Amino acid sequence: MLRRTLTQVIRRMSSAANVEAAVAAPTAAPQAAPKKEKKAVKYELKVPKGTKDWADKDMVVREAIFDTLAKVFKRHGAVTIDTPVFELREILAGKYGEDSKLIYNLEDQGGELTSLRYDLTVPFARFVAQNGIQAIKRYHIAKVYRRDQPAMTKGRMREFYQCDFDVAGVYPTMIPDAECLAIAVEGLTSLGITNFTIKLNHRKILDGIFQVCGVKEEDVRKVSSAVDKLDKAPWADVKKEMCVEKGQPEEVADKIGEYVQHKGSVKDMLEWLEGDAALMANESAKTGIEEMRTALPFMESFGITNYLSFDMSLARGLDYYTGIIYEAVTEASAPPTEEQKAALKAAAEKDGKKKKKSKDDDDNSENVGVGSILAGGRYDNLVGMFANNSKKGNIPCVGVSFGVERLFSLIKSRPGLMEKVRPAATQVYVMSMGGGPEYTGFLAERMAVTHKLWEAGIEAEYMYKTKPKYPQQFTAAEKAGCPFAVILGQDEYPQGLVKIKELGLGEESDRGTDVKIEDLAQILKEKIANKTSSVGEVQKLLKDFTL
Amino acid sequence: MLRRTLTQVIRRMSSAANVEAAVAAPTAAPQAAPKKEKKAVKYELKVPKGTKDWADKDMVVREAIFDTLAKVFKRHGAVTIDTPVFELREILAGKYGEDSKLIYNLEDQGGELTSLRYDLTVPFARFVAQNGIQAIKRYHIAKVYRRDQPAMTKGRMREFYQCDFDVAGVYPTMIPDAECLAIAVEGLTSLGITNFTIKLNHRKILDGIFQVCGVKEEDVRKVSSAVDKLDKAPWADVKKEMCVEKGQPEEVADKIGEYVQHKGSVKDMLEWLEGDAALMANESAKTGIEEMRTALPFMESFGITNYLSFDMSLARGLDYYTGIIYEAVTEASAPPTEEQKAALKAAAEKDGKKKKKSKDDDDNSENVGVGSILAGGRYDNLVGMFANNSKKGNIPCVGVSFGVERLFSLIKSRPGLMEKVRPAATQVYVMSMGGGPEYTGFLAERMAVTHKLWEAGIEAEYMYKTKPKYPQQFTAAEKAGCPFAVILGQDEYPQGLVKIKELGLGEESDRGTDVKIEDLAQILKEKIANKTSSVGEVQKLLKDFTL
């Protein structure tokens, strides 16, 4: 609600001639002085850089994605929490290294220093530590903030959604880890995404491999980041980077190459790893391999092994994670091939619209796909940063984060989907039909009938006009994609009858059926139930338009 | 997801002896130096002042409130939008008068100057103007920010939710206005609130009354704010304020008193107003009265007249609104009586805990009830502040805002409700039973059975233990309020059988029924559907525990 003071201003403005002077021209170019205005406050009507308004069909699809994922999380017994959008600056301090410069600070207006949250994981860890929580399965879908250079083409925004599921607590090896993978599969398939692969690896195995290959401890991080590029570059390039840029001896690089180019089913890869005596003699690698062996029957129980690829080149977040790591990719999320890039370029040139290159654009964006659509892993030391330095204080965690903004882009691009999405949920349009001098337009009557439908839980609308013409109402209903019309006929309504008519049938138009007003809600409820699924129109569409 | 840099820090911390030094003691008092720590970063583990974490049952109830209201809005054909949490500072500038000092600014870190949104209405007006929208029914449930002095006892926070429904567009008189009132009634009754009254008035009628009574135009605002106090103070006090503080002649005050102490049904009040020749001769009053007369049949069609009280003392937001205004109150939201206050005080003293008076506390909070639980009205000039000064640019609006934080407090206080609310939605707990040396604990088997239930859309959990004891699992299930258990018996499971057992029956414990594993999901689905309603467990609870 607006406070009174707001309209003191409005009143002042609208009551006098200075209205013109105080409003901005919404369509004017940023710096162009609007013509009519004298003392114009010059600003453009827009949202801050890197943010956007969500509305219309996009909003509906996004809500369906969030609802679908929340339902999956709840199915697994998860609770949700909601933390403040800003945290005390000290809570975030020292958590993001170099990226700390991307944190949005709130102005120091006296009192505490605060910053907008950078992710949902640090607030989660703060919440767990602050409340002395020993065990929790929680999900959180909310906005986070980064003062990054926005690159809209890549979907990199300053305000964007994260969607995290995490399990905190001390449990036997790999039990919650396997459930996170099950949730990853369920989440994606629930969204109609089926052609994905979840790459798996284990940080302790990777650590062991680097040790066995003779990488010095201080070099592990940079070698690991080179390995992580194997999904985008051939081994020769990665090897070159290791030897030239990262100063590794060629024989070390070659040994690493023998390991990290391997991938396959969890079962096959485990046999291969367990057959490697050097690796099994390394304590770290052995622990990691044993953990994956423990997890295999769990993965089988959850029926997810077909989606998994145990990929020794996956190194993501190596410094961050302490155990299993994973990342899901789809064909659609892979970077474009050289041919695709050439085709895109040709199409753009044919288009004749040589888009002026803006500084804000990510120069490299055309070379990158949507990237991973989901990622996660085990991180056992984060809560400990906040808690007392006791065994009790440090609660181990494992989690999975859905790349909801990327998933939105993927889903939105499904051919035919967006045309079927309706912004509003209206199922019934209540209209009047009649003419001549006695015709009143039945406004109060349309309201009363619509009210009956609302009471029965049916989404219904009527035209906000006193005496609307029938074709006008019909067009509005069809435009809104309303499946049913209820028609109040000039002669029939006074006899207690209304007509139900199915819309959107084109040629085979439904002639309609007269029903008693008192039966209307019940009959419509059944018709709607037969027509649309109970899981929600849009959620059903996501499944129907499977990727 | 956390970026790698975060764990560079974590790794650094957990690998060395400086862990102790870098973490804060979560339970330590704000300024007390933690015992064990040497170079401790001294900060308390907490959220910023005036903000809170939402979790557990509170979170579930809040979600149920939001879902319920969203469903009502959607039923009326509304769409929802999501605007950024921060806006360009210029957008908010000059909109809140005195209260502008309460706006949270983001730090100037180069680039645009931005501020956290103060409400949802100005961003809505910006959205409508920016996109040249001519007509929209939208709802928006989201957080807003005010650097106010927090008063937790009054529920005044710095971060809190607003829940707004607004109709923008040019329509015949009072049609969308009446629908907003219908939504107000539906929203509150859907939440199980029935003992409420919606006070109505019309700004043009009030303006007319003040003119007829001889109030000078420059005095209208202050006289109006005195009138607005009639719900908390007797007429004598209000009259005194008018004459002494606001300098009105006694005969003017007396004339006003004759009008503003009237309230009643819309029908009766209209007859009374229409019978007042002086008022009907005033252009403003006449217009207002005619609009209310137009609205009466709409209110009757929507079946809401019983909830309405046409109350001439309602003046809220007079400066802001341009037409009908309304505000809903319940008995529970009224300020406490002197007796109640005395009882509260006595109880507090008996408690022996004389709370130290903090500067942050609102000194007057104990004298105020929850206040109005919903408010709104017509505001025709706001979009025009952003749009071009053209007829097309200025889109008239009418809206209603649910005081969701107040509604939450009211609902939470219903006796017996919170005990019935479960934080998680789990319907089935899958457990194992057995003993002796052959007993494995059936971990992978429990996973496989639970997975079957997930696939069928059933909320199910199992214990994250390798070999849990049966009573331990049973206790966990009952504690979670799970209605059903599925038991994998040591002898029965290998034969393809599991037992379904209804929980929470106390003495009349269900002995359980053996079913084939392949039939399990279907049987459970039916049992659950019979036990819980399709509208959602918590939403149903809100209706059951009617206020």
Side-chain angles (χ1 to χ4, degrees):
Chain A
M1 286 305 302
L2 286 166
R3 300 222 168 154
R4 283 172 207 184
T5 39
L6 168 53
T7 36
Q8 292 169 15
V9 182
I10 297 174
R11 199 185 209 190
R12 212 157 53 229
M13 291 182 62
S14 45
S15 64
N18 64 351
V19 174
E20 260 182 55
V23 296
T27 50
Q31 297 302 329
K35 281 172 200 169
K36 295 202 304 181
E37 298 174 19
K38 275 183 275 185
K39 299 185 297 171
V41 179
K42 280 176 197 153
Y43 63 87
E44 206 184 349
L45 222 46
K46 59 170 189 158
V47 294
K49 202 164 94 169
T51 70
K52 61 178 279 194
D53 289 324
W54 286 87
D56 210 43
K57 293 183 175 191
D58 282 3
M59 185 71 194
V60 175
V61 169
R62 201 197 74 184
E63 283 213 311
I65 294 173
F66 290 177
D67 285 353
T68 302
L69 292 177
K71 210 175 273 176
V72 171
F73 302 143
K74 282 183 185 164
R75 211 145 67 200
H76 286 254
V79 297
T80 186
I81 68 167
D82 176 22
T83 62
V85 159
F86 49 85
E87 294 270 347
L88 292 179
R89 202 165 294 167
E90 309 145 325
I91 301 285
L92 307 186
K95 305 296 183 311
Y96 304 104
E98 272 291 292
D99 286 345
S100 292
K101 65 178 189 294
L102 301 182
I103 293 176
Y104 271 102
N105 292 328
L106 270 80
E107 201 174 280
D108 182 2
Q109 293 168 296
E112 301 160 325
L113 294 180
T114 56
S115 301
L116 296 185
R117 65 181 164 215
Y118 183 86
D119 63 18
L120 302 176
T121 315
V122 167
F124 172 59
R126 192 263 309 146
F127 172 81
V128 170
Q130 181 178 327
N131 297 288
I133 290 166
Q134 294 302 303
I136 188 171
K137 269 189 209 178
R138 88 87 179 77
Y139 73 92
H140 195 180
I141 304 176
K143 288 173 171 177
V144 301
Y145 299 88
R146 297 182 186 182
R147 281 182 52 259
D148 220 333
Q149 206 52 263
M152 306 295 188
T153 47
K154 271 186 76 177
R156 191 168 68 217
M157 302 287 284
R158 291 182 159 192
E159 176 183 64
F160 60 96
Y161 275 89
Q162 290 197 329
C163 171
D164 290 9
F165 170 88
D166 294 85
V167 181
V170 178
Y171 296 115
T173 306
M174 295 304 248
I175 296 182
D177 312 56
E179 188 156 341
C180 283
L181 288 170
I183 284 174
V185 171
E186 273 180 58
L188 295 176
T189 52
S190 297
L191 294 171
I193 297 170
T194 52
N195 64 344
F196 62 89
T197 302
I198 301 180
K199 299 194 225 170
L200 289 183
N201 204 353
H202 196 295
R203 194 200 130 166
K204 286 183 181 145
I205 301 176
L206 261 184
D207 277 352
I209 287 173
F210 293 140
Q211 283 164 14
V212 166
C213 295
V215 178
K216 288 178 197 144
E217 219 198 303
E218 61 267 31
D219 291 344
V220 163
R221 203 172 312 156
K222 57 189 187 187
V223 169
S224 162
S225 90
V227 167
D228 209 29
K229 289 174 187 158
L230 258 181
D231 58 341
K232 297 183 205 78
W235 168 245
D237 293 3
V238 171
K239 182 182 165 182
K240 201 173 146 198
E241 180 180 332
M242 272 189 203
C243 299
V244 180
E245 289 171 47
K246 315 232 151 139
Q248 298 302 304
E250 198 174 343
E251 62 273 21
V252 169
D254 283 339
K255 281 182 86 172
I256 293 172
E258 278 166 35
Y259 282 110
V260 298
Q261 291 181 83
H262 269 87
K263 62 180 173 189
S265 73
V266 178
K267 197 163 169 283
D268 291 349
M269 287 294 287
L270 273 173
E271 276 166 26
W272 177 73
L273 288 165
E274 284 160 348
D276 188 315
L279 224 45
M280 291 305 281
N282 176 284
E283 202 191 339
S284 176
K286 186 163 176 276
T287 307
I289 293 165
E290 281 170 0
E291 286 192 14
M292 293 300 279
R293 171 59 72 190
T294 302
L296 181 56
F298 307 161
M299 295 164 180
E300 284 165 347
S301 286
F302 291 148
I304 57 174
T305 47
N306 282 346
Y307 292 105
L308 306 179
S309 166
F310 197 168
D311 186 332
M312 302 311 294
S313 77
L314 180 73
R316 73 182 314 282
L318 183 69
D319 290 330
Y320 174 54
Y321 294 108
T322 55
I324 191 170
I325 49 178
Y326 32 83
E327 175 178 306
V329 289
T330 71
E331 266 173 48
S333 70
T337 63
E338 288 302 321
E339 278 164 45
Q340 287 170 326
K341 275 192 275 181
L344 277 170
K345 205 179 156 193
E349 274 165 11
K350 201 183 155 195
D351 233 15
K353 285 181 195 164
K354 272 200 178 167
K355 212 182 125 203
K356 224 180 76 188
K357 202 130 197 165
S358 149
K359 264 193 185 172
D360 294 344
D361 278 358
D362 191 293
D363 289 341
N364 203 35
S365 59
E366 69 212 28
N367 294 319
V368 184
V370 193
S372 66
I373 51 172
L374 168 154
R378 173 162 288 279
Y379 55 101
D380 282 347
N381 299 326
L382 184 60
V383 174
M385 284 183 79
F386 289 115
N388 269 316
N389 182 33
S390 65
K391 277 282 172 206
K392 190 185 163 199
N394 188 25
I395 307 292
C397 298
V398 62
V400 56
S401 180
F402 287 80
V404 279
E405 306 265 357
R406 288 171 176 184
L407 289 170
F408 172 80
S409 302
L410 272 184
I411 286 168
K412 197 180 165 182
S413 70
R414 286 181 203 165
L417 172 65
M418 292 310 276
E419 288 79 56
K420 292 235 173 186
V421 171
R422 298 196 295 139
T426 316
Q427 299 293 339
V428 180
Y429 208 96
V430 177
M431 32 184 109
S432 56
M433 185 158 64
E438 323 83 61
Y439 179 58
T440 62
F442 279 149
L443 174 57
E445 292 81 358
R446 284 182 281 133
M447 286 175 168
V449 170
T450 311
H451 176 250
K452 268 189 205 298
L453 302 182
W454 291 334
E455 274 196 316
I458 296 170
E459 296 86 356
E461 283 191 280
Y462 61 94
M463 186 165 274
Y464 282 0
K465 287 213 169 188
T466 312
K467 224 168 150 176
K469 294 204 163 59
Y470 176 69
Q472 195 183 15
Q473 299 169 83
F474 193 81
T475 306
E478 291 243 308
K479 207 176 148 193
C482 243
F484 297 101
V486 165
I487 301 157
L488 279 59
Q490 195 168 356
D491 300 326
E492 295 80 4
Y493 185 75
Q495 297 168 41
L497 292 176
V498 293
K499 199 186 286 299
I500 299 177
K501 190 174 154 84
E502 194 170 343
L503 301 176
L505 297 179
E507 291 285 309
E508 314 152 61
S509 176
D510 174 22
R511 304 295 303 245
T513 321
D514 285 334
V515 300
K516 286 185 192 157
I517 294 173
E518 59 264 36
D519 301 334
L520 177 65
Q522 190 51 41
I523 294 172
L524 273 173
K525 265 189 129 163
E526 284 158 23
K527 280 183 182 281
I528 292 167
N530 287 336
K531 187 133 181 159
T532 61
S533 130
S534 64
V535 296
E537 197 173 302
V538 186
Q539 287 184 50
K540 192 173 169 296
L541 275 176
L542 297 193
K543 288 278 281 187
D544 288 352
F545 284 76
T546 288
L547 202 76
Chain B
M1 286 308 298
L2 286 166
R3 299 221 168 153
R4 282 172 208 184
T5 39
L6 168 54
T7 35
Q8 290 168 16
V9 182
I10 297 173
R11 197 186 213 189
R12 214 156 50 228
M13 291 181 61
S14 46
S15 67
N18 64 351
V19 173
E20 259 183 54
V23 296
T27 50
Q31 298 302 330
K35 281 173 202 171
K36 294 202 303 178
E37 296 172 20
K38 274 185 274 185
K39 298 185 298 174
V41 179
K42 280 177 199 152
Y43 64 87
E44 209 185 346
L45 222 48
K46 58 170 191 161
V47 294
K49 203 164 93 167
T51 71
K52 61 178 277 193
D53 290 323
W54 286 86
D56 210 46
K57 293 182 174 190
D58 282 4
M59 185 71 193
V60 175
V61 169
R62 200 196 75 185
E63 283 212 310
I65 294 173
F66 290 178
D67 286 353
T68 302
L69 293 176
K71 210 173 273 174
V72 170
F73 301 143
K74 282 182 184 164
R75 210 145 68 198
H76 286 254
V79 298
T80 185
I81 68 167
D82 177 22
T83 62
V85 160
F86 50 86
E87 295 271 346
L88 292 179
R89 202 165 296 167
E90 308 146 326
I91 301 286
L92 306 187
K95 304 295 183 310
Y96 304 104
E98 272 291 295
D99 287 344
S100 292
K101 66 176 188 296
L102 301 183
I103 292 176
Y104 271 102
N105 292 328
L106 269 79
E107 200 174 282
D108 182 3
Q109 293 167 298
E112 303 160 322
L113 294 181
T114 54
S115 302
L116 297 185
R117 64 181 165 216
Y118 182 87
D119 62 19
L120 301 176
T121 315
V122 167
F124 173 59
R126 192 264 307 146
F127 173 81
V128 169
Q130 181 179 328
N131 296 290
I133 290 166
Q134 294 302 303
I136 188 171
K137 269 189 212 178
R138 88 87 180 76
Y139 74 92
H140 194 181
I141 304 175
K143 287 172 172 178
V144 301
Y145 299 87
R146 297 182 186 182
R147 280 182 53 258
D148 219 332
Q149 206 52 262
M152 306 296 188
T153 46
K154 271 185 78 176
R156 190 166 72 217
M157 303 287 284
R158 292 182 157 191
E159 176 182 65
F160 60 96
Y161 274 88
Q162 289 195 329
C163 171
D164 290 9
F165 170 89
D166 294 86
V167 181
V170 178
Y171 296 114
T173 306
M174 296 303 251
I175 297 182
D177 313 54
E179 188 156 343
C180 283
L181 287 171
I183 285 174
V185 171
E186 274 180 57
L188 295 177
T189 52
S190 296
L191 293 171
I193 297 171
T194 51
N195 64 343
F196 62 89
T197 302
I198 301 181
K199 298 194 225 169
L200 289 182
N201 204 351
H202 195 296
R203 196 200 127 163
K204 286 182 180 146
I205 300 176
L206 261 184
D207 278 352
I209 287 174
F210 293 140
Q211 284 164 14
V212 166
C213 295
V215 178
K216 289 178 195 143
E217 218 197 307
E218 62 267 32
D219 291 344
V220 164
R221 202 170 313 156
K222 57 189 185 187
V223 169
S224 161
S225 90
V227 167
D228 209 26
K229 289 173 189 158
L230 257 183
D231 58 342
K232 297 183 204 77
W235 168 245
D237 292 3
V238 171
K239 183 183 166 183
K240 200 173 148 197
E241 180 180 331
M242 273 189 201
C243 299
V244 180
E245 288 171 46
K246 313 225 153 144
Q248 299 301 306
E250 197 174 342
E251 63 272 23
V252 169
D254 284 339
K255 280 183 89 174
I256 294 172
E258 278 166 36
Y259 282 109
V260 298
Q261 291 181 85
H262 269 87
K263 62 182 174 186
S265 72
V266 178
K267 196 162 170 283
D268 292 348
M269 287 294 289
L270 274 172
E271 275 165 28
W272 178 73
L273 288 165
E274 284 161 351
D276 187 315
L279 222 46
M280 292 305 283
N282 176 283
E283 202 190 337
S284 175
K286 185 163 177 277
T287 308
I289 293 165
E290 282 169 359
E291 286 190 18
M292 292 300 277
R293 171 60 72 191
T294 303
L296 181 57
F298 306 161
M299 295 165 181
E300 283 164 349
S301 286
F302 290 150
I304 57 174
T305 46
N306 282 345
Y307 292 103
L308 307 178
S309 166
F310 198 167
D311 185 332
M312 302 311 293
S313 77
L314 181 74
R316 72 181 315 282
L318 182 69
D319 290 330
Y320 174 53
Y321 294 108
T322 55
I324 190 170
I325 49 178
Y326 32 85
E327 176 178 306
V329 288
T330 71
E331 266 172 48
S333 69
T337 62
E338 288 304 320
E339 276 164 46
Q340 286 170 327
K341 274 191 275 181
L344 278 170
K345 206 181 157 194
E349 274 166 10
K350 201 183 157 196
D351 234 13
K353 285 180 194 166
K354 271 201 179 166
K355 215 182 125 202
K356 224 180 77 189
K357 202 129 199 167
S358 148
K359 264 192 183 172
D360 294 345
D361 279 357
D362 191 291
D363 290 341
N364 203 34
S365 58
E366 68 213 31
N367 294 319
V368 185
V370 193
S372 66
I373 51 172
L374 168 155
R378 173 162 287 281
Y379 55 102
D380 281 348
N381 299 327
L382 184 61
V383 174
M385 284 183 78
F386 289 114
N388 269 316
N389 182 32
S390 65
K391 276 283 172 207
K392 192 185 163 198
N394 188 24
I395 307 291
C397 298
V398 60
V400 56
S401 181
F402 288 79
V404 279
E405 306 265 357
R406 287 173 177 183
L407 288 169
F408 172 80
S409 302
L410 271 184
I411 287 167
K412 199 181 161 180
S413 69
R414 286 181 202 165
L417 173 65
M418 294 308 278
E419 288 78 56
K420 292 235 174 187
V421 171
R422 297 194 296 138
T426 316
Q427 299 291 339
V428 181
Y429 207 98
V430 177
M431 33 183 109
S432 56
M433 186 157 65
E438 322 83 62
Y439 179 58
T440 62
F442 280 149
L443 174 57
E445 292 81 358
R446 281 183 282 136
M447 286 174 166
V449 170
T450 310
H451 175 250
K452 267 189 207 299
L453 302 182
W454 291 334
E455 273 194 315
I458 297 169
E459 295 86 354
E461 282 191 282
Y462 60 95
M463 187 165 273
Y464 281 0
K465 288 215 170 187
T466 313
K467 224 168 149 176
K469 295 204 164 57
Y470 176 69
Q472 196 183 13
Q473 298 170 82
F474 193 81
T475 306
E478 292 243 307
K479 206 176 148 192
C482 243
F484 297 101
V486 165
I487 300 157
L488 279 60
Q490 196 169 355
D491 301 327
E492 294 80 4
Y493 185 75
Q495 298 168 40
L497 293 175
V498 292
K499 197 186 290 298
I500 299 177
K501 190 175 155 82
E502 194 170 343
L503 300 176
L505 298 180
E507 291 286 308
E508 316 151 61
S509 176
D510 174 23
R511 304 296 304 244
T513 320
D514 285 333
V515 301
K516 285 185 192 159
I517 294 171
E518 59 263 36
D519 301 332
L520 177 65
Q522 191 51 41
I523 294 171
L524 273 173
K525 265 189 130 160
E526 285 158 22
K527 279 181 182 282
I528 292 166
N530 287 337
K531 186 132 182 159
T532 62
S533 131
S534 65
V535 296
E537 198 173 301
V538 186
Q539 288 184 51
K540 193 174 167 297
L541 273 177
L542 298 193
K543 289 277 281 187
D544 288 351
F545 284 75
T546 288
L547 203 73

